[in-house]
Amino acid sequence: MSQHQAYIGVRTSERVRCLTTTLALTPVRAVEFFQGTLDVTDEFDAARVFDTTLRDGEQSPRTSFSYEDKREIAAVLDEMGTHVIEAGFPVNSDAEFEAVSDIARHTDATTAGLARVVDKDVEAAIDAGVDMVHVFVSTSDVQIEDSMHATREQVKERAIDSVQQVKDAGVDCMFSPMDATRTDGAFLIEMVEAVTEAGTDWINVPDTCGVATPRRFYDLIDRVTDHTDARIDVHTHDDFGLATANALSGIEAGAEQAQVSVNGIGERAGNAAYEEFVMAVESVYQTDTGIDTTRITELSKLVEARSDMPVPANKPVVGDNAFSHESGIHAAGVIENSDTFEPGVMTPEMVGATRELVLGKHTGVNAVREHLVEAGYDPTESEVRAVTRKVKDRGAEKERVTASTVREFARDVGVEKREEQEEVSV
């Protein structure tokens, strides 16, 4: 028997309710990793978060943030303790410039503005008042030749000039060799050494087209760190579903920071997801990011609404099913101890979410009993089994089973309500 009581949230189409259960009350932070085959958590002891929701996230097809959207999202990111907020691409438009400037003025986080290796881009970012100018240029031959219509030498010269332009203005500089994972290895190192000598503070290594694998990306970051004394940042795309894994691999290899976006939105299949990266660092790697993780669900819902990009139900950390259980075996285990069929090192409370026992085709008697008791009934075991059979049958017909459905079934079976105890005055 546990020493405390926790709550399991039960989502229905009517409202979200809480069922009292005998689960150990888990602290919001610092849940120790389970002893077992994967209990080694000493790969790194720090990881910073560079959020690019307002820049790369907004580049999602058919997504556009208004001025007010950007300010609202930036405010939450800032309040949560996000280390860097890439506010946008200042040269893009007057409205974008004003939004970036406003965010730079009103947030405590380091603000970054994106710029191509073009004088007017860099000037716009500097004039916007950001703390960091993030300059980028293509370094893969396919992009140099067929997108920029330039040469390697021209690319290198422009990169050096832009880094120096930023540094001459007294602003921190981040340089990105775009499409690094498809760039000739020797030329990539040549670029890294050139911008390092020019004075860049950060080098971002982007997997622009999402072709990296965790092991290969680790080796690449390890190699880059041998050729620069700048701080290393990584930017990974999710074309093969490997973005968050690659970002974490980059941190393991020595990068200090990862570029992520809320809900993983971004170009094509998107970026490494803010919520996945943060919670993996916090829970799996047992490293404190300094970010208020209890607002992750709130942040996710805000970005979902403003981006008009629905979050899939099975999305890690923030999807509706992330802490939901329908299977009878799983629900029974979770009612006894949530660690049985959840990671254990990440709880819904840690991300501001609610655990849910979903009723349907796979429901068992334990979940049904909890629902009935919460609704004020005092069922016998045979009545619980009878209601469970009705729930399973309704779920098999692909119909939702809600709180009112359970009450309907309880009435059909003849389950009696509990008698309320009268208060006694002494």
Side-chain angles (χ1 to χ4, degrees):
M1 179 69 69
S2 61
Q3 296 177 343
H4 303 285
Q5 285 186 321
Y7 292 95
I8 291 184
V10 180
R11 171 168 288 183
T12 71
S13 61
E14 301 167 338
R15 61 193 178 104
V16 175
R17 297 181 290 110
C18 288
L19 298 182
T20 304
T21 63
T22 55
L23 302 183
L25 185 60
T26 307
V28 170
R29 300 180 76 90
V31 182
E32 290 187 6
F33 202 85
F34 273 68
Q35 294 295 309
T37 56
L38 298 177
D39 63 355
V40 177
T41 56
D42 59 357
E43 294 90 345
F44 55 80
D45 56 13
R48 290 168 50 90
V49 177
F50 179 119
D51 181 84
T52 187
T53 305
L54 303 180
R55 200 277 298 170
D56 199 334
E58 190 182 23
Q59 291 174 206
S60 301
R62 295 172 288 279
T63 292
S64 177
F65 293 129
S66 69
Y67 180 95
E68 291 74 17
D69 292 340
K70 285 204 166 195
R71 283 291 298 116
E72 187 176 10
I73 294 169
V76 176
L77 286 167
D78 188 38
E79 291 165 7
M80 289 174 65
T82 306
H83 302 98
V84 183
I85 299 173
E86 189 167 39
F89 195 4
V91 79
N92 190 51
S93 67
D94 290 342
E96 182 79 347
F97 179 90
E98 290 303 323
V100 174
S101 297
D102 193 30
I103 292 169
R105 285 195 304 270
H106 295 97
T107 53
D108 293 325
T110 296
T111 53
L114 188 69
R116 294 167 298 182
V117 287
V118 177
D119 287 351
K120 67 175 183 177
D121 283 36
V122 175
E123 289 172 5
I126 293 170
D127 291 344
V130 295
D131 304 299
M132 174 191 294
V133 177
H134 178 192
V135 295
F136 72 98
V137 69
S138 296
T139 55
S140 67
D141 289 334
V142 64
Q143 290 191 1
I144 291 174
E145 295 169 8
D146 297 334
S147 178
M148 295 187 64
H149 303 291
T151 66
R152 287 184 179 183
E153 192 58 33
Q154 289 172 328
V155 162
K156 185 169 72 171
E157 289 176 1
R158 293 176 193 175
I160 292 170
D161 289 344
S162 293
V163 169
Q164 290 176 338
Q165 185 180 357
V166 175
K167 295 308 298 177
D168 287 346
V171 180
D172 281 353
C173 181
M174 173 178 284
F175 174 76
S176 287
M178 187 161 69
D179 208 12
T181 50
R182 298 195 303 173
T183 296
D184 174 76
F187 181 59
L188 178 63
I189 297 305
E190 185 179 336
M191 288 292 296
V192 166
E193 292 177 342
V195 295
T196 299
E197 186 175 348
T200 192
D201 301 282
W202 288 86
I203 291 177
N204 167 247
V205 182
D207 181 26
T208 305
C209 293
V211 297
T213 64
R215 182 67 228 187
R216 295 173 191 170
F217 200 59
Y218 181 103
D219 291 341
L220 178 61
I221 300 305
D222 188 44
R223 185 180 180 200
V224 168
T225 58
D226 288 339
H227 292 270
T228 183
D229 56 7
R231 304 171 77 178
I232 304 298
D233 173 272
V234 295
H235 180 109
T236 55
H237 275 269
D238 210 30
D239 296 75
F240 291 94
L242 295 170
T244 300
N246 286 332
L248 291 164
S249 183
I251 300 295
E252 287 189 9
E256 294 184 43
Q257 182 171 273
Q259 297 192 6
V260 296
S261 68
V262 180
N263 298 337
I265 66 174
E267 290 277 6
R268 304 182 313 281
N271 296 273
Y274 182 107
E275 61 280 0
E276 294 174 17
F277 179 81
V278 170
M279 292 314 299
V281 171
E282 289 270 346
S283 296
V284 179
Y285 289 90
Q286 301 279 279
T287 297
D288 186 359
T289 61
I291 288 174
D292 180 2
T293 66
T294 64
R295 298 188 67 181
I296 281 179
T297 298
E298 171 194 347
L299 174 65
S300 170
K301 292 185 181 301
L302 172 62
V303 172
E304 179 182 30
R306 301 297 181 264
S307 67
D308 197 29
M309 292 185 67
V311 173
N314 65 336
K315 175 75 173 64
V317 184
V318 294
D320 283 348
N321 290 351
F323 299 99
S324 295
H325 306 272
E326 180 179 329
S327 164
I329 294 173
H330 284 235
V334 166
I335 289 171
E336 182 67 26
N337 180 350
S338 62
D339 291 348
T340 54
F341 288 104
E342 288 181 8
V345 288
M346 179 176 68
T347 66
E349 294 84 4
M350 291 172 70
V351 298
T354 306
R355 184 174 293 112
E356 300 165 14
L357 294 182
V358 179
L359 296 181
K361 176 181 178 181
H362 306 288
T363 296
V365 294
N366 293 280
V368 170
R369 183 185 300 106
E370 292 289 336
H371 277 268
L372 289 170
V373 171
E374 172 65 14
Y377 292 97
D378 186 18
T380 64
E381 287 305 302
S382 62
E383 289 170 341
V384 170
R385 287 193 294 273
V387 173
T388 300
R389 173 45 54 197
K390 287 180 173 290
V391 168
K392 285 177 172 289
D393 290 345
R394 180 68 59 87
E397 296 170 359
K398 297 187 177 181
E399 294 187 23
R400 293 197 63 181
V401 179
T402 68
S404 62
T405 309
V406 173
R407 291 195 294 271
E408 172 193 332
F409 290 160
R411 288 192 296 270
D412 291 345
V413 171
V415 184
E416 295 184 358
K417 283 272 192 176
R418 289 194 305 270
E419 292 185 8
E420 297 295 334
Q421 292 183 345
E422 296 183 2
E423 292 186 2
V424 179
S425 299
V426 178

